[in-house]
Amino acid sequence: MRRLFAALSTALVLLPAAVHAEVWGFVDPHGEVHLADRQLDKRYQLFTRSGEIGATLPSKGLPQVSTPAVPAARAAQYRRLVEQTAREYNLDPELLHAIITVESGYTPGAVSPKGAVGLMQVMPATGERFGITALDNPRANLRAGSRYLKFLLTQFNQDLPLVLAAYNAGEGAVQQYQNSIPPFPETRDYVAKVLAVYQRTGVPVAHRRGGRVSATIAPDQSL
């Protein structure tokens, strides 16, 4: 049930907001999430009766947030570089864009109060851990952030909310709270914002690369 809850939470959090009624689902042996608006067979378990995104977020303690606004021209400067880096590490470029939007707003010279640097706000210690030190260079910064993201996707079994929490607070913090999103307002706000930006592309969580679960919605259903 824990695996089902985590997988369905990840899948449902980015489904269109107009999802209503009951949501039933199960995760098959291949990790694919199957969703329907009724129990099609005994494998389907009731996940939520409202089915609305707003109802799934409180279960993880995530706040309702507004998405950051970034000038399109600024983001466009780095689109090709982001796509190249995403291909290099087999990640979804839109996931990288979502992280960059929240982390730095595409400001390559950004430095956080804690010392995180560049587009993906990589800590110098994290860069060194993955063999990259020139974090003020956009290409190197993207590679460092992507290497860390790839590591976290493996570390947390492709659970995107946990991966984002770990990217923000460190994997140790997520592990300290039994592989759940730590109760830090900054981290919960961060996870919610990245997921919200990622949602804006309009592609459900199930059909993206970069460690996101695969979902199958039963045909001819209202979901």
Side-chain angles (χ1 to χ4, degrees), residues 102-189:
V102 176
E103 288 284 3
S104 69
Y106 293 90
T107 303
V111 179
S112 78
K114 295 180 180 179
V117 178
L119 292 174
M120 293 190 71
Q121 289 292 277
V122 180
M123 293 294 291
T126 301
E128 291 179 5
R129 178 179 172 188
F130 292 94
I132 298 175
T133 57
L135 298 177
D136 56 343
N137 178 281
R139 182 181 298 275
N141 190 280
L142 282 169
R143 294 186 71 193
S146 295
R147 286 185 183 181
Y148 187 39
L149 184 63
K150 191 74 172 180
F151 166 81
L152 293 174
L153 284 164
T154 300
Q155 182 78 8
F156 294 104
N157 197 31
Q158 318 299 318
D159 187 320
L160 186 57
L162 291 188
V163 168
L164 295 175
Y167 192 93
N168 176 263
E171 64 263 32
V174 173
Q175 292 165 341
Q176 178 183 350
Y177 288 92
Q178 291 75 50
N179 283 348
S180 64
I181 299 176
F184 310 147
E186 176 188 339
T187 298
R188 293 182 180 277
D189 187 71

Side-chain angles (χ1 to χ4, degrees), residues 35-65:
L35 304 176
D37 64 354
R38 65 182 186 277
Q39 188 173 29
L40 299 181
D41 58 49
K42 64 181 181 180
R43 297 172 299 173
Y44 285 80
Q45 300 176 51
L46 180 62
F47 179 64
T48 177
R49 290 190 182 280
S50 71
E52 296 180 352
I53 292 174
T56 66
L57 289 179
S59 67
K60 284 185 173 289
L62 296 179
Q64 298 291 331
V65 295

Side-chain angles (χ1 to χ4, degrees), residues 3-13 25-26 33-35 45 47:
R3 181 185 178 213
L4 173 66
F5 181 82
L8 288 177
S9 293
T10 306
L12 287 175
V13 73
F26 73 96
V33 179
H34 299 259
L35 304 176
Q45 300 176 51
F47 179 64

